[in-house]
Amino acid sequence: MKSPPLLVAVLVACIIVLGFNYWIASSRSADLQDRVMDLEGKVRRAAAERGAVELKKNEFQGELEKQRQQIDKIQSLHSFQMENVNRVHQEEKGEIMVLLVIEEIYTGTNLHNRDFLPKATLK
């Protein structure tokens, strides 16, 4: 059985169109695969960079926490020292006042007239 030449021509044209479409789809697929590979590489690099940044961030946060603890310790020590200084000051002030009163009693001197002693101290 012989096939009409028109049917053969249509079949050949379909095979050519299908082959051309396959060739275009194949080249696009290869281009897309290359692009996917490039993007995967970029994602891996970005993830590695992000990991490095996270490590640095954690390191800086640890250092910041250490410095905050040192500041708190220094402030606490400063407050303690200031309390001690104020306590010693008050004790010495009291001792001086007692000595001045004793001196005033024994000598009969009015200490309010002395230039070196402020008047508010004796009140």
Side-chain angles (χ1 to χ4, degrees):
M1 177 165 136
K2 250 186 164 190
S3 32
L6 183 62
L7 182 62
V8 172
V10 168
L11 286 176
V12 169
C14 284
I15 291 174
I16 290 173
V17 168
L18 288 174
F20 184 71
N21 283 340
Y22 175 77
W23 176 69
I24 290 174
S26 176
S27 65
R28 282 186 182 170
S29 173
D31 290 342
L32 290 175
Q33 284 178 343
D34 289 343
R35 190 169 176 201
V36 165
M37 294 295 281
D38 288 342
L39 291 174
E40 285 177 349
K42 287 179 182 179
V43 166
R44 275 190 232 105
R45 282 190 299 275
E49 288 174 5
R50 182 176 181 199
V53 167
E54 286 290 325
L55 287 175
K56 278 287 190 190
K57 176 186 152 194
N58 291 338
E59 181 180 320
F60 285 135
Q61 283 180 337
E63 186 66 28
L64 180 63
E65 186 59 33
K66 285 180 187 177
Q67 289 178 356
R68 283 184 178 152
Q69 289 173 354
Q70 287 177 343
I71 288 171
D72 290 343
K73 186 177 180 180
I74 290 169
Q75 285 177 338
S76 174
L77 181 61
H78 179 260
S79 295
F80 177 73
Q81 288 175 342
M82 287 303 295
E83 288 173 6
N84 284 341
V85 166
N86 285 335
R87 183 183 46 80
V88 169
H89 172 73
Q90 291 299 323
E91 288 173 0
E92 289 177 354
K93 183 178 172 183
E95 290 172 4
I96 291 172
M97 293 300 295
V98 167
L99 291 174
L100 288 174
V101 168
I102 290 172
E103 182 183 348
E104 186 176 320
I105 291 171
Y106 282 116
T107 61
T109 308
N110 188 356
L111 295 176
H112 294 293
N113 295 332
R114 294 202 178 168
D115 292 333
F116 69 90
L117 189 61
K119 302 220 181 334
T121 307
L122 293 177
K123 292 183 180 177

